[in-house]
Amino acid sequence: FDDKVLIKKKFKPKPTTQTEINDCSKKLQKAQQVLVVASHQSINFGNVSVFSTEKRSFQITNNLQQFILVSLKCEHDELKESGPQSQVVPPHQTCGFDIVIHNDTPEIFSKAIEYTINNDLTYSVAVNADIVPIDLTVEPDVLQFTFDEGYSQPYIKSFVKLINNSNSPTEFQWSGFDKVFSIHNKSGKICPHGSYSTEITYKPDTNSHHEAI
C-alpha cells in the first residue's frame, strides 16, 4: 500500500436510495465495527517544504454486507484542502480520502483528523509533518578566477549550479554583479529537487589583478 497513490474514484457524498439510507442510519455492532478497516492510525508526511502541497491517501475498507457512510473532519488550516467530506461506501469496497497539507511558514505539525462511521462512531488519526524552509544550495560555493600565463582572452567564464533540495518550486535572483563580474541569467525558477546552471563571466578592468567571487 503506497499512500502517495490517491484513489481517483470517489463515492457519492450522501445516501440516496432507500437501501443506502437504511444502511447508513444503522449503528454498527462491535462484531461489525472490526470489519470497517482504516489504512492508517497515523499519517506521517515527513519533511514538507513551505509553499508546497503534499497529499496522502487515507483509505477505509468496508468488509460488511451493507453500505456505510464515512465522514471526514479536518479542522486545521494546514489540512483545509483535504477531502471529500463524506462518502457512501458500498459493501466490500474501499474509499479514499485525500489528506492534503500546505503551509507557508515553517512549523512542526502534529495534530489529528477525525472520521465518523454512520454518524455514530468517531475515530481519530494523527497527522505529522515537519514543514521546513526552502533549501537551496550552490555548487561550487567559491569560484576562483585566475589568468594563466599565455591566456589571451580578456575574460574568464565559469559555471555555478543552484540545487533545489526542496519539494517546492523555488524562484531565485542574483544580485551584486557589475561590469567586472557579470552573470548570464540573474533570475529564474527551479523545479522541486531540480537544478539550474548559469554562467559567470569575470572581465577585469585595465588594472591587472586577481579576484574571487
Side-chain angles (χ1 to χ4, degrees):
F1 166 62
D2 183 357
D3 62 1
K4 293 183 180 180
V5 178
L6 306 180
I7 295 180
K8 294 182 179 180
K9 179 184 177 181
K10 309 299 183 187
F11 296 107
K12 65 175 68 174
K14 300 294 180 185
T16 55
T17 69
Q18 193 58 52
T19 299
E20 292 170 351
I21 293 171
N22 290 339
D23 285 354
C24 295
S25 64
K26 295 176 182 177
K27 292 186 177 181
L28 300 184
Q29 303 301 312
K30 287 187 177 180
Q32 295 175 301
Q33 294 173 21
V34 297
L35 296 177
V36 178
V37 182
S39 59
H40 297 74
Q41 291 183 335
S42 64
I43 299 173
N44 186 11
F45 282 89
N47 286 348
V48 179
S49 301
V50 292
F51 307 114
S52 70
T53 297
E54 282 288 311
K55 300 179 181 181
R56 297 291 185 271
S57 181
F58 174 63
Q59 301 178 9
I60 299 290
T61 299
N62 177 17
N63 293 310
L64 298 170
Q65 301 291 340
Q66 67 173 72
F67 291 89
I68 60 171
L69 174 64
V70 183
S71 304
L72 182 70
K73 188 177 182 180
C74 298
E75 294 185 327
H76 311 293
D77 287 342
E78 296 89 343
L79 302 174
K80 63 184 179 182
E81 298 177 29
S82 302
Q85 292 184 347
S86 62
Q87 294 184 67
V88 176
V89 188
H92 304 289
Q93 296 290 319
T94 297
C95 70
F97 293 89
D98 302 341
I99 308 303
V100 184
I101 192 166
H102 171 90
N103 201 5
D104 293 343
T105 56
E107 70 166 317
I108 296 176
F109 183 87
S110 182
K111 297 177 183 177
I113 59 175
E114 293 181 345
Y115 68 96
T116 302
I117 308 297
N118 286 2
N119 295 315
D120 178 44
L121 301 167
T122 299
Y123 305 90
S124 63
V125 177
V127 180
N128 302 299
D130 190 2
I131 302 176
V132 297
I134 296 295
D135 181 11
L136 194 66
T137 55
V138 182
E139 292 183 358
D141 55 359
V142 175
L143 285 179
Q144 196 79 26
F145 293 91
T146 303
F147 286 92
D148 296 328
E149 185 177 353
Y151 185 80
S152 59
Q153 298 295 331
Y155 56 82
I156 300 176
K157 294 185 177 183
S158 188
F159 284 90
V160 294
K161 179 188 289 186
L162 294 176
I163 302 171
N164 182 10
N165 302 301
S166 308
N167 58 355
S168 172
T170 303
E171 295 182 357
F172 68 90
Q173 183 170 352
W174 292 95
S175 61
F177 288 90
D178 52 28
K179 63 181 181 180
V180 176
F181 289 105
S182 60
I183 191 166
H184 183 62
N185 290 317
K186 287 188 176 182
S187 62
K189 188 174 184 178
I190 311 174
C191 63
H193 303 290
S195 63
Y196 185 94
S197 295
T198 191
E199 186 179 70
I200 294 178
T201 300
Y202 170 49
K203 187 176 182 180
D205 56 24
T206 54
N207 295 320
S208 179
H209 56 290
H210 176 94
E211 298 189 40
I213 185 173

